[in-house]
Amino acid sequence: EDKVVQSPLSLVVHEGDTVTLNCSYEVTNFRSLLWYKQEKKAPTFLFMLTSSGIEKKSGRLSSILDKKELFSILNITATQTGDSAVYLCAARTGPYNYGQNFVFGPGTRLSVLP
Amino acid sequence: DAGVIQSPRHEVTEMGQEVTLRCKPISGHDYLFWYRQTMMRGLELLIYFNNNVPIDDSGMPEDRFSAKMPNASFSTLKIQPSEPRDSAVYFCASSPGQGRIEKLFFGSGTQLSVL
């Protein structure tokens, strides 16, 4: 059974701290790893990673994938209260020429205190 | 583009009633997904369609749940009869598909409460 695990499940930090969120996966026909941020409503897309070792960066957020060890990390530097959210990791799977699925982890709930 | 559109935003109903959730995917997207989100189980895939054809419905909890996609711009998820344990946020999402930017675009969700 395809599985995505995230840690920690919950994290409380103060503004200015740096955080690292972890995601590991065990899926068949892995194609890519995606990170989403969910505040009050729908998850919004952050990153999609397909190749090992290539860091994706957007402002204070960055992410990297290790396809050999089957994990990804999401880093947030100089955290702000607006970073408070649930961060979801998803593995996209499926045979290349037929079908696709997105298997989500349970999420990490990040709370940034002022 | 308007994004993925779901309706209603909120639905409160009584146990035993029929509930129909609606979704309009982003135009040109080949895939449509229905997810359910609860605190206990997180985001669970219920069913997904490729070019209007159901591909994997193994996540549909039981026969009370059914989903249809009569055309490329509309899908429904129906629960009949509804039960309190069905209370959750139901998300519809679409994806462009093979060879294009393959990520999920989510609708705003339907908050379902079954009393």
Side-chain angles (χ1 to χ4, degrees), chain B residues 53-80:
Chain B
V53 176
I55 302 300
D56 183 355
D57 65 355
S58 58
M60 296 285 263
E62 48 200 90
D63 291 346
R64 298 184 298 107
F65 285 68
S66 62
K68 294 183 180 179
M69 192 165 185
N71 57 61
S73 59
F74 184 65
S75 177
T76 59
L77 178 69
K78 188 174 291 187
I79 308 172
Q80 166 63 20

Side-chain angles (χ1 to χ4, degrees), chain B residues 42-63:
Chain B
L43 262 173
E44 301 176 279
L45 177 68
L46 299 176
I47 185 171
Y48 78 93
F49 296 83
N50 178 19
N51 292 321
N52 314 337
V53 176
I55 302 300
D56 183 355
D57 65 355
S58 58
M60 296 285 263
E62 48 200 90
D63 291 346

Side-chain angles (χ1 to χ4, degrees), chain A residues 74-104:
Chain A
L74 175 69
N75 281 318
I76 308 175
T77 58
T79 52
Q80 301 172 356
T81 55
D83 296 325
S84 296
V86 175
Y87 291 83
L88 296 163
C89 167
R92 188 168 67 84
T93 72
Y96 183 76
N97 59 346
Y98 177 77
Q100 62 171 328
N101 187 12
F102 296 80
V103 182
F104 281 84

Side-chain angles (χ1 to χ4, degrees), chain A residues 4 6 22-23 25 30-37 43-50 56 63-65 72-74 87-93 100-105, chain B residues 35 94-96 100-106:
Chain A
V4 175
Q6 292 185 247
N22 303 294
C23 173
Y25 59 92
F30 172 82
R31 289 169 53 186
S32 60
L33 192 290
L34 297 94
W35 285 95
Y36 284 82
K37 177 182 182 182
T44 54
F45 174 79
L46 293 175
F47 296 111
M48 182 170 75
L49 302 140
T50 55
K56 291 269 182 113
S63 184
I64 197 160
L65 174 67
S72 174
I73 61 172
L74 175 69
Y87 291 83
L88 296 163
C89 167
R92 188 168 67 84
T93 72
Q100 62 171 328
N101 187 12
F102 296 80
V103 182
F104 281 84
Chain B
Y35 283 90
S94 68
S95 175
R100 296 181 280 169
I101 300 174
E102 296 173 0
K103 64 184 185 186
L104 277 175
F105 296 79
F106 283 87

